[in-house]
Structure formats: C-alpha cells, structure tokens
Amino acid sequence: MSKQAILLAFLALSHYSVCEPNLKLIQAHVAPSKVRIIGGDEVVPHSVPYQVGVKINGNAFCGGALISSNYVLTAGHCCEVINSVDVILGAHNISNPSEDTQIIISNNEVKNHEKYDSATLRNDICLIQLSESAPNNNNIQAAKLPPSSDSGRSYLDETVTATGWGLYKDVPFPTTRDMSDVLLKVDVQVSNLTECGMYYNDDDTTYVVNTNLCTSGYRNKGTCNGDSGGPLSLDGVLIGLTSFGTELCEMCSPSVYTRVVDYLDWIAENSDVIIL
Ligand SMILES: *[C@@H]1O[C@H](CO)[C@@H](O)[C@H](O)[C@H]1NC(C)=O
Ligand SMILES: *[C@@H]1O[C@H](CO)[C@@H](O)[C@H](O)[C@H]1NC(C)=O
C-alpha cells in the first residue's frame, strides 16, 4: 500500500469517527454529545467585559455575550432543554464565586431561534432575557454588534479572537471540572467556508452553511467543549458565537461559529437591542 493510500484511509476513518460535528456545550455527568480554548492564553482579566458564563440546569455550561443590559446571546444548542439558566457576569476566575467583580443573575427567560435545528445545527443562536438589568461598569459591558453593512463580508483571513472557559485539552469523558478556571482567548484566522463545509458536511447532512463562520485549526488553535455560545470577536465587535467542532478538539480541525451579522433582524425583533 502506498503512503498516500494509508493517509487517505486514515482521513476517511477519522471523518466518520472522531470528526463528526460535536456541540461545544459541556455537561457535568455525561460525555458531551454534542468547545478551553485550545492553543490560547489567559486574557488580561476583564478585557472582554461582554463575556458571560451560562450555567444550565445547574450542571451544563456554555459561554455567551452580553448585548444590552437586559439580553445575552448564546448558542441555540445551549437552550435546548432548560429548567434553569444562571448568567455569570464580570468573571475572570469563574471557579471563584467570591471574586468581587462577579454577579450572578438567575430566573432568566430563554428564547431559542424558531428555526434552530438540532440535527444540522442550523440557526444555532438563542437569546437570554435577564430577570434584572446587568450593571454597566469596567468589568461588565455590552458587546458591539456588527453593522448590517457587514452582511456580505466573509471576514476571510481576518484575525479574530475566540474566548471561553471551556476545555484547554482533550480529556476522556470531560466534565465541567476539566474546564479552565480563568477566561482564555485564542487568536485565529477566519478560514474558507467552502473548505470548512467540505470538512464537516457529508452526504446525509449539511452542517456548514452561509450563516456560519469558520476559523482555521492551524497549529491546533480553536474552541472546545464549554466554549459554546461564547464570543468570536473582531476588534471588540461580536461577529460570531461558538457553535461546533470535532469531538476531539486537538486535531487542528476548523472551529465553526454562528455568523452574528446574519441574525441582526432576529435580534432586533426579539430583544431591546437597536440595530444601526
Ligand atoms: C480559581 O479560584 C479557585 C477557587 O478560589 C481556586 O481554587 C483556583 O486556584 C483559582 N484558579 C486560578 C487559576 O487562579
Ligand atoms: C474557497 O475554497 C474553494 C474550494 O477550495 C475555492 O474554490 C475558492 O476559490 C476559495 N475561496 C476563496 C475566496 O479563496
């Protein structure tokens, strides 16, 4: 067998096993069926003041982004089965509840996208309406949304930043205990969406579509379980929400995000955010 054939066989195998799209939410007691930051660093504390933590039913964890004093954006797959959702604002070490910058808001309402599809992960976007207004201070601030004039923009090759408290390495059967205490960031390049689709889509299911953004996994950089719903930022503007990746995070695969600019109308209709 030639070397090339072995390589292809490995690729085919990996495509059908470890490379199945994987939702990047973390569940405490089960292996995530469904994204630390991989290959990144600790942020300057509170330098991403719109980053929030979203605790679902007391045990699952997602990221999110504050977009006004009353609303948080997260991923649709973080809002699938919700009994309770607590939003943690102003955190750096999220494992340290006595951090005096942190505020936890409970009893929040959730509005998932009407066309969120758990099978294809289409429209993976959800709004959380806070039960009380978030303060506005040095540690807690709403993100800037992209202008509607960005709607045709591919962001291709631009350097963007993903942030979260998710896994920073692959571990068997990860739980929330394996997540990062401190907020991490990774700078990555927006990659070619067609090629990203070739990586994830198969004959049965089209996962990557025009309402997604992908970032390159080159040098093993990207998002991992627990980062879901969290921000992908370009110069402090919220252009994406972490959506999915491969089941194992450390395989240089592209990370996939919901493209926020495509949902500005939906956000305006369902929140108090005014789109410019
Ligand atoms: C985060 O806070 C927890 C609880 O106080 C502490 O055990 C842990 O060492 C802190 N982590 C870091 C990286 O400072
Ligand atoms: C994206 O990749 C496809 C497939 O390789 C290629 O045909 C296309 O020209 C690329 N697009 C850009 C903008 O580079």
Side-chain angles (χ1 to χ4, degrees):
M1 203 192 267
S2 73
K3 193 171 176 187
Q4 196 181 13
I6 294 167
L7 259 178
L8 287 173
F10 173 73
L11 286 175
L13 183 72
S14 60
H15 183 72
Y16 290 109
S17 54
V18 288
C19 292
E20 293 303 317
N22 169 36
L23 292 175
K24 295 193 173 180
L25 144 151
I26 206 165
Q27 290 170 318
H29 304 295
V30 292
S33 61
K34 319 276 170 198
V35 209
R36 173 193 158 170
I37 295 288
I38 301 289
D41 303 294
E42 185 173 348
V43 302
V44 172
H46 313 293
S47 57
V48 192
Y50 45 90
Q51 171 85 48
V52 305
V54 179
K55 206 168 216 179
I56 301 143
N57 305 335
N59 61 14
F61 188 90
C62 278
L66 187 71
I67 55 165
S68 78
S69 51
N70 300 303
Y71 286 90
V72 161
L73 266 185
T74 186
H77 72 265
C78 299
C79 297
E80 270 192 78
V81 186
I82 288 214
N83 302 313
S84 71
V85 54
D86 299 329
V87 171
I88 306 160
L89 305 112
H92 180 62
N93 180 346
I94 202 148
S95 306
N96 180 6
S98 60
E99 212 174 45
D100 60 10
T101 53
Q102 275 188 39
I103 291 178
I104 302 187
I105 302 181
S106 303
N107 303 314
N108 306 301
E109 298 281 327
V110 156
K111 182 170 180 38
N112 211 346
H113 195 284
E114 298 80 358
K115 293 187 174 157
Y116 164 66
D117 179 1
S118 60
T120 59
L121 306 177
R122 202 76 39 85
N123 306 306
D124 194 11
I125 188 168
C126 172
L127 276 163
I128 300 172
Q129 183 176 10
L130 300 176
S131 62
E132 57 186 273
S133 293
N136 185 338
N137 57 38
N138 285 339
N139 311 309
I140 303 176
Q141 283 165 34
K144 278 193 233 138
L145 292 173
S148 32
S149 58
D150 268 11
S151 63
R153 192 171 163 188
S154 70
Y155 306 108
L156 185 66
D157 295 335
E158 298 208 55
T159 300
V160 294
T161 306
T163 44
W165 288 279
L167 301 182
Y168 47 90
K169 58 178 185 207
D170 288 320
V171 291
F173 309 108
T175 73
T176 48
R177 288 189 300 275
D178 299 309
M179 291 175 43
S180 175
D181 288 338
V182 292
L183 186 64
L184 301 175
K185 70 167 167 100
V186 65
D187 289 339
V188 279
Q189 265 71 46
V190 175
S191 61
N192 182 314
L193 192 71
T194 307
E195 289 174 2
C196 183
M198 288 159 63
Y199 189 87
Y200 285 106
N201 300 341
D202 56 36
D203 292 345
D204 299 325
T205 315
T206 302
Y207 297 96
V208 177
V209 292
N210 287 341
T211 51
N212 289 122
L213 274 175
C214 294
T215 59
S216 166
Y218 180 60
R219 295 197 167 149
N220 225 352
K221 289 173 189 278
T223 53
C224 197
N225 304 64
D227 291 325
S228 277
L232 182 73
S233 309
L234 171 57
D235 299 329
V237 176
L238 180 70
I239 65 164
L241 304 170
T242 292
S243 181
F244 64 89
T246 40
E247 180 140 11
L248 292 174
C249 304
E250 295 187 271
M251 35 188 285
C252 303
S253 47
S255 297
V256 188
Y257 309 80
T258 303
R259 204 175 123 89
V260 170
V261 70
D262 293 330
Y263 294 92
L264 294 178
D265 291 343
W266 183 80
I267 293 167
E269 280 162 26
N270 292 286
S271 74
D272 59 3
V273 175
I274 293 160
I275 304 295
L276 304 173

